[in-house]
Amino acid sequence: MMQCLRVDRITSLELPELQPYRTLRRPQEHLVQGIFVAEGAKVVRRFLASDWHVVSILLTQEWFDAVVSSLPTSRLEGVDVFVGEKKLLETIVGFPLHQGIMAVGRVPLERSLEETIASLPSPHLLVALDGLVHAENVGTIVRNCAGFGVDGIIVSKTSASPYLRRAVRNSMGGIFKLPCLHAEVRRFGTQAGVHVDDLSNALSSLHQQFNTRIIIADAHAETSIHDADFSGDICIVLGNEDEGVSKDVEAIATARVRIPMHKETDSLNVASASAVMLYEARKKR
């Protein structure tokens, strides 16, 4: 395998192929290029264990020996592997954020909503994100979705991209385990990702064409999650961190449910709320 592997031992970060690593603080450029960055040992290991397209890997010799050297030849075909000193790699984003191993991958090719739904099991459990602005929340929700057996995620064009570095990192590799329909990637001019023009239209199509019930997480709803019906084909919608679900999406909801709170606490952080909602939904399915 080692004879087939393209390994470049670097002493600077000026190679054109290293541009994605040099521009970590300009994440929109990555969306334009249809790529994402995975960082940290666990996330990179899970990325390399998936069937997603790998563009390049940047790491220290120690991580090369621990991770890359044992991978099958087929997984590394056409992949650029760059090995550098730890001090060099730490100059990218600073030591507290860098574990000495990163990778760049291609966002999956675009599919339609209909194609995606047709590939899912029946009954299906979906999650939709409406206007979430923090990539960390999006990533944590993706992780929760993977952990609780969600079949797919729909992300509105007003939400942070699930392919942003911080979202991929917080997903802990969950993003590689389930379909993610996202409008933002196409919005920036690529043909990557799954295209959803408008979340309310997508949810309306889900309900009308596939009989999927649209369940909104609403702190002011009358129905508690303990009394809610989570059976059949459903899509749980999580709204903006401050404003909740948008009016357009709220108008097509078939049910609204709340998480009971105590001690005059009004609600949970949306990522925490997703874990509670999905646990209850999975328990009842």
Side-chain angles (χ1 to χ4, degrees):
M1 185 201 74
M2 300 301 294
Q3 293 180 348
C4 302
L5 185 61
R6 300 198 312 239
V7 179
D8 195 341
R9 303 190 180 278
I10 59 173
T11 57
S12 78
L13 300 172
E14 298 306 312
L15 288 174
E17 295 86 351
L18 294 173
Q19 183 266 349
Y21 303 101
R22 296 196 304 268
T23 57
L24 293 182
R25 298 187 185 279
R26 303 198 297 273
Q28 302 302 344
E29 292 185 12
H30 296 166
L31 295 183
V32 170
Q33 297 173 56
I35 61 174
F36 64 88
V37 175
E39 65 170 314
K42 288 185 177 180
V43 176
V44 173
R45 283 181 186 272
R46 290 166 184 171
F47 171 39
L48 296 177
S50 74
D51 59 0
W52 287 34
H53 180 80
V54 183
V55 175
S56 66
I57 308 171
L58 174 64
L59 72 177
T60 63
Q61 183 64 48
E62 291 76 12
W63 282 116
F64 177 88
D65 295 337
V67 177
V68 175
S69 62
S70 61
L71 290 173
T73 304
S74 58
R75 188 61 177 127
L76 296 170
E77 185 175 352
V79 176
D80 292 318
V81 179
F82 301 97
V83 177
E85 294 292 333
K86 184 177 181 181
K87 288 184 178 180
L88 174 64
L89 272 60
E90 287 171 0
T91 63
I92 297 175
V93 292
F95 177 75
L97 296 178
H98 201 284
Q99 296 184 27
I101 179 169
M102 306 180 82
V104 171
R106 288 275 174 206
V107 174
L109 294 177
E110 179 178 319
R111 291 189 300 172
S112 69
L113 176 64
E114 291 75 17
E115 289 173 328
T116 302
I117 297 301
S119 69
L120 300 181
S122 180
H124 57 246
L125 169 60
L126 304 175
V127 166
L129 306 183
D130 183 19
L132 275 71
V133 298
H134 298 297
E136 291 86 351
N137 281 336
V138 172
T140 301
I141 292 170
V142 170
R143 181 182 185 182
N144 292 341
C145 287
F148 288 110
V150 170
D151 298 306
I153 302 176
I154 304 173
V155 184
S156 73
K157 64 183 179 182
T158 57
S159 290
S161 170
Y163 304 112
L164 291 172
R165 177 174 59 94
R166 292 179 179 179
V168 172
R169 181 182 67 203
N170 274 33
S171 82
M172 292 303 295
I175 189 66
F176 311 127
K177 299 179 180 180
L178 70 172
C180 186
L181 291 70
H182 185 233
E184 190 75 4
V185 178
R186 176 81 174 251
R187 182 180 169 194
F188 283 97
T190 77
Q191 293 295 317
V194 186
H195 183 41
V196 177
D197 283 307
D198 181 87
L199 181 60
S200 60
N201 287 340
L203 295 178
S204 180
S205 295
L206 274 176
H207 181 54
Q208 294 176 13
Q209 297 182 35
F210 302 98
N211 295 316
T212 301
R213 292 185 296 116
I214 310 301
I215 302 175
I216 289 178
D218 183 352
H220 306 291
E222 293 184 4
T223 303
S224 163
I225 58 171
H226 303 310
D227 303 318
D229 178 10
F230 289 110
S231 63
D233 295 322
I234 63 172
C235 180
I236 297 174
V237 184
L238 303 167
N240 173 265
E241 289 89 344
D242 294 322
E243 302 297 328
V245 173
S246 63
K247 297 297 183 183
D248 288 345
V249 171
E250 186 177 5
I252 61 175
T254 57
R256 296 172 177 79
V257 299
R258 62 177 171 83
I259 299 172
M261 305 300 296
H262 299 275
K263 298 185 183 297
E264 299 182 354
T265 302
D266 56 357
S267 64
L268 297 175
N269 164 272
V270 65
S272 299
S274 74
V276 176
M277 292 279 292
L278 292 174
Y279 173 82
E280 189 70 16
R282 180 53 61 189
K283 183 175 69 172
K284 292 185 174 182
R285 292 174 69 81

